[in-house]
Each structure stands twice: as C-alpha cells, then as structure tokens.
Amino acid sequence: MAQDGDVLTGTLGGNYKISVANGAVVTLDGVTINGTNDEAYNWAGITCQGNNIIVLADGSKNVVKGFNATMPGIYVPEGCTLVIQGNTGTLDASSNGEGCGIGGSKSISCGNIEIQGGAITATGGENNAGIGAGFGWDCGNILISGGTVTAQGGNQAAGIGSGNSDTSDTQSVCGTITINGGVVTATGGYGGAGIGSGYQNSIVGNITLSGGIITAVAGEGKFTKAIGSGDYGDCRNITITKGVTSVTVTGDIGASAGSYTGTVTIEEGANIIYQDS
C-alpha cells in the first residue's frame, strides 16, 4: 500500500498487488509492473483506493500492466477521481487482454479520470476503451487538460470513452469527455469511435473539445465516427469551440446510423481538419 509522499521505483519482483491509499499523492519514477495473466491474481497493475494523484517523475519511463486478464492497467474506484500529473515522465498503461489501459474492465466500473500532464499511452484490451469504460460497465467523467496522450481502444471499443455493450442488458456507459489542452490522439478499435462510444448500445455523455491539438481516428466499421458514436452506439451533445488549436478527424463527427445523438455544435473559426480514412 503506497502512502502519501511515497516514490515508487524499480521492477516489481513478484505477483503483488500495488495499491495507493485514499488521498495519497504518489510518484512513479522508473516503475515496471508487468502483471502476469493469471486468474489467481485478480487485480490491476495499480489499484487506487480512493481519490489519488499519480505524478510521473521527470525523465522517467513507467510501464503498468494489469494482472488478471480482466483487470485494467490502472484502476480508480467508482465515485473517486484519479489525477495524473507530470512533465517529461512517461506512462504506458495496458491490461493483459480484457481491461482498459486506464479505467475499468469487463468486470468492474470505474470513477473519474483527469490527465494534467506527462506522456501517456493507454491501450485497451478486447471490448475495452484505452481510457474509460470496460465491456458492459461504466466509468465517470474524463478530463484532459495537458500532456501528450495516446489512447487505443480494443476491438469494438473507443480510444477514449466507452467499451462494447453487446446487448441492452450490459451497457457500457461513459460520462462526459472534456479536452481543453494537451496533445491528444485517440483511435477506436473496430466498431468504436476515436473519442466517444463503443459498439452496440454503448453510451457516452457530452463531448466538449475546447483546447489542445486533437487527433481522432474512427475504428473500422460501417457507421463508426471519429468523434461521437461507435457502430450502433449512442452519444450526447458534441461541442467543438474555436479555442482548440486543431482537431484532425479521420472519419466524421456525430452519431452512427440508427443511434441517438444530441446536438453537434462547431463554433465558427474552429480549426477542423478532415482526413480520408
């Protein structure tokens, strides 16, 4: 259990659960947590116990992978908020196959995720978002205000947002997504939006892009959007303001055919760049 002020460093030497005490600010300084894919170790690479701040030490390279295949790289509990800070430190977060890089998984919902800095790569496993909700489960709100963030969704999941829902009885729901700074690249898996919802009854709340350099790539699929909904997924309101430096989309912005969406508002002067898929 990491406590407030602790600095974690080195390679984890066994199948141990690393948790962060509620309210603690913890620094990662050259951490490698390569979880083993084994049902006996049913935990994430790092498990937050409440509201936490993780700081990436300058110049450090940190790798965090979940243990059991169904668990995320970094997990924050429902109703709580994880804040990630840093300047030149890097973080590579992923699951062992069926969890989010940062967020939830196919077996648990998660809380709010806020990225303020650092160079972060988050990769989702099958049916799970890179950053956000897992297969058939929920996540809170996502806010990115700085740093360099690269998010790749798993098959049928968004890069940033929600995962696959499969049926109306197992909906994957993500709260609001707000990006007001940083350099963000989000790519959906097959059937998933770059920023937005995953496949089939998957839901994402309001999406607001008001700052930063943003690139969103739609996953392959008949109706998948770069920003908005995945195939047969739902999205609420989408707002892109003129405050963004640029928004580059491979695909389109909005809802897929047969899906619900709120309004799509693009302010006059917003720099939107469309690229062919």
Side-chain angles (χ1 to χ4, degrees), residues 79-183:
C80 297
T81 299
L82 168 65
V83 177
I84 300 177
Q85 300 174 342
N87 293 306
T88 61
T90 69
L91 170 65
D92 187 339
S94 64
S95 73
N96 251 303
E98 297 179 84
C100 297
I102 303 172
S105 75
K106 66 175 290 185
S107 59
I108 49 173
S109 293
C110 72
N112 306 309
I113 301 163
E114 182 175 348
I115 297 175
Q116 297 178 351
I120 297 166
T121 300
T123 305
E126 184 81 4
N127 299 307
N128 291 263
I131 299 173
F135 177 34
W137 292 77
D138 301 344
C139 77
N141 301 322
I142 299 171
L143 170 62
I144 300 174
S145 58
T148 301
V149 179
T150 302
Q152 172 67 59
N155 185 43
Q156 299 186 333
I160 299 173
S162 54
N164 184 14
S165 281
D166 191 32
T167 70
S168 59
D169 294 329
T170 56
Q171 288 183 306
S172 179
V173 180
C174 177
T176 63
I177 299 173
T178 303
I179 301 174
N180 57 30
V183 178

Side-chain angles (χ1 to χ4, degrees), residues 70-83:
T70 64
M71 300 300 286
I74 299 178
Y75 171 70
V76 56
E78 287 185 273
C80 297
T81 299
L82 168 65
V83 177

